[in-house]
Amino acid sequence: MSDAITRTTVEHLDKPEYSSLITVNLLGRLRSTTEQVRNVQAVMEEEGLTVNAKTLSNIGNSLDGILCSLVEILSDDSSQSEITVNVDNPSISKWLESTFSSKQRSSPSSSSTKKFDSIRTVIQASKFLNALQRQTRLKNKDIFPNFKFPIDIDKLTKWDYCIFDYTQPFLFTIPLIFQAHDIINRYHIDLDILKNFSRAVSDGYNRFQPVYHNATHGADVLTTTHLLITKANLMNIFSPLEICALLFSAAIHDYEHPGLNNAYLIKVKSDLALIYNDHNVLENHHSSAAFKLLRDKRYNIFSQMDTNQFKIFRQLVISLINYFFAAELLHSSFLFIYELLNIHRRIDMANHASLIERLSTYFFFQESKQICVNEGDTKTLLHMILHAADISNAAKPWPIYIKSSEKIMEEFFVQGDLERTQLLEEKPTFCRDTTDFAAVQIGFISHIVQPTFDVLGKVLRMSAFEQALLINDLPWQINLNINLQTWLLVSKEMGKMDILISNNPVQLNHELLNKYVERAKELIEQKTQHNSLLLSVTS
């Protein structure tokens, strides 16, 4: 399976432009395996246990395959010149010379036949990875001499990164993330045009001043998409063009969103609804408006992309943005929750049910565990990642999640106000005076966010992706549990009005809610300890 992944990776690279980031990912796989070796070594030295020889053999074979991939990448002349690391430690320099020298390149078969025989080699490789990562970070800074960024790319790859702390986040998230994935170099993007494009995207998101679907949300989805594919090291699964399309889609997925959903736009016969004949109104507009922006040479960051590549790129972007009907899905999700709670009128949830069915069954109703990573698999995984990023706020730490919750509910209440005043509806979709905030959040997390992230987690842990996975604990699980448990406690003990400071616009009592967050953490910790005790007794 490791060899299959390696072949897929090599085929996806556009020779001779190997990116340093891809090399870092391959070396990251090496370091992940290194940790396994260290654990085995610790057990052998400290406890004197006999370790199954097959385990060490498998680890050694994995290292052999990864090292072989590294030699193939680093042996390219252009890649050698791109990845030049100065290492002060003579022993590491000697290892680099012996591993990646021209003598080594002249006999590539030696790396594939060499057997794992030393912990020292992988430890030195780990130090090499750290040096290379430092160089990559420096390179990210050097390429933007005229850009002033409040943070660097490291900050954008943390699950607890808070987008609400920054104004105009697109001005630094787009350049940093595009550079991290080698999009700027690969497609020869002019930095001034990139700066113009980033500002134009930000302005487009804020054109109608939506409460939630603004530039902050767009940049958040872009950042979370970047985080998901890097934390799980999915660059080894997707081609460079697929990654480019995914990140571009994340950036523009709600471009020029008016803060109103498709149903409302159709009811009032808006210009957008008439243009797109009431069919996926917002989704069609987001992609259409973004590609219109690219027609202007001041903003066309992909002017140097090959014509055939751009055609594939455009088709994939349109597919990604239309696949999940993101805005309509979120709207339908809340209505679905009301239906479950018998709070609101019955709503057709065919779209939502179909979505969950696709997410839940696509990868798992197959007989063999040796699942091949084919074009259909990767496209579905791309869709899943973008959708997960779009609804990921409930899976973030509480301080981030609660801010986004206030904003999305206020945006829905604004639409409810318009439905009551302009359409004279007695029962608007969301009424700020009667909607139970806690009940909505409980249903949204339980029936929408958790199922999506559970499926995503299972996919990332599948055997086909094991060699690419660098994380053992998926970062969102504990946050989902805490956020859900908090609202369950609030719903059980308090009334709707008790958690509100302001009803228009929505402002929650954060100090009061934080007390419930701490109680939720204690309850989850107690339950975890109880389950661990039961497991130890029954095992």
PDB file of all heavy atoms in Angstrom, residues 84 101 216 372 384 400 432:
ATOM      1  N   THR A  84      17.941  23.815  -0.383  1.00  0.00           N
ATOM      2  CA  THR A  84      19.315  23.867   0.101  1.00  0.00           C
ATOM      3  C   THR A  84      19.272  24.221   1.570  1.00  0.00           C
ATOM      4  O   THR A  84      18.858  25.317   1.941  1.00  0.00           O
ATOM      5  CB  THR A  84      20.126  24.925  -0.665  1.00  0.00           C
ATOM      6  OG1 THR A  84      20.057  24.627  -2.060  1.00  0.00           O
ATOM      7  CG2 THR A  84      21.573  24.936  -0.198  1.00  0.00           C
ATOM      8  N   SER A 101      23.583  12.404  -2.205  1.00  0.00           N
ATOM      9  CA  SER A 101      24.668  12.847  -3.080  1.00  0.00           C
ATOM     10  C   SER A 101      24.477  12.296  -4.483  1.00  0.00           C
ATOM     11  O   SER A 101      23.666  11.415  -4.723  1.00  0.00           O
ATOM     12  CB  SER A 101      26.013  12.374  -2.524  1.00  0.00           C
ATOM     13  OG  SER A 101      26.083  10.964  -2.556  1.00  0.00           O
ATOM     14  N   THR A 216     -14.826  37.378   6.764  1.00  0.00           N
ATOM     15  CA  THR A 216     -14.309  36.608   7.897  1.00  0.00           C
ATOM     16  C   THR A 216     -14.659  35.137   7.747  1.00  0.00           C
ATOM     17  O   THR A 216     -13.815  34.256   7.948  1.00  0.00           O
ATOM     18  CB  THR A 216     -14.886  37.152   9.215  1.00  0.00           C
ATOM     19  OG1 THR A 216     -14.488  38.517   9.380  1.00  0.00           O
ATOM     20  CG2 THR A 216     -14.380  36.344  10.397  1.00  0.00           C
ATOM     21  N   CYS A 372      -8.681   1.392  -3.555  1.00  0.00           N
ATOM     22  CA  CYS A 372      -7.826   2.123  -4.483  1.00  0.00           C
ATOM     23  C   CYS A 372      -8.218   3.603  -4.488  1.00  0.00           C
ATOM     24  O   CYS A 372      -9.389   3.949  -4.479  1.00  0.00           O
ATOM     25  CB  CYS A 372      -7.978   1.546  -5.887  1.00  0.00           C
ATOM     26  SG  CYS A 372      -6.991   2.388  -7.126  1.00  0.00           S
ATOM     27  N   MET A 384     -16.080  16.579   0.419  1.00  0.00           N
ATOM     28  CA  MET A 384     -16.291  16.382   1.845  1.00  0.00           C
ATOM     29  C   MET A 384     -15.476  17.371   2.672  1.00  0.00           C
ATOM     30  O   MET A 384     -15.958  17.933   3.657  1.00  0.00           O
ATOM     31  CB  MET A 384     -15.925  14.941   2.237  1.00  0.00           C
ATOM     32  CG  MET A 384     -16.247  14.606   3.690  1.00  0.00           C
ATOM     33  SD  MET A 384     -15.683  12.950   4.151  1.00  0.00           S
ATOM     34  CE  MET A 384     -16.612  11.951   3.008  1.00  0.00           C
ATOM     35  N   ILE A 400     -14.269  30.426  19.903  1.00  0.00           N
ATOM     36  CA  ILE A 400     -14.427  30.670  18.466  1.00  0.00           C
ATOM     37  C   ILE A 400     -15.837  30.296  18.030  1.00  0.00           C
ATOM     38  O   ILE A 400     -16.514  31.044  17.316  1.00  0.00           O
ATOM     39  CB  ILE A 400     -13.389  29.859  17.665  1.00  0.00           C
ATOM     40  CG1 ILE A 400     -11.972  30.239  18.094  1.00  0.00           C
ATOM     41  CG2 ILE A 400     -13.572  30.060  16.168  1.00  0.00           C
ATOM     42  CD1 ILE A 400     -10.900  29.369  17.482  1.00  0.00           C
ATOM     43  N   ARG A 432     -36.806  35.814  15.981  1.00  0.00           N
ATOM     44  CA  ARG A 432     -35.879  36.131  17.075  1.00  0.00           C
ATOM     45  C   ARG A 432     -36.571  36.114  18.438  1.00  0.00           C
ATOM     46  O   ARG A 432     -35.902  36.033  19.466  1.00  0.00           O
ATOM     47  CB  ARG A 432     -35.190  37.456  16.819  1.00  0.00           C
ATOM     48  CG  ARG A 432     -36.051  38.661  16.830  1.00  0.00           C
ATOM     49  CD  ARG A 432     -35.220  39.958  16.733  1.00  0.00           C
ATOM     50  NE  ARG A 432     -34.578  40.132  15.441  1.00  0.00           N
ATOM     51  CZ  ARG A 432     -33.260  40.073  15.246  1.00  0.00           C
ATOM     52  NH1 ARG A 432     -32.471  39.802  16.272  1.00  0.00           N
ATOM     53  NH2 ARG A 432     -32.747  40.285  14.055  1.00  0.00           N
TER      54      ARG A 432
END
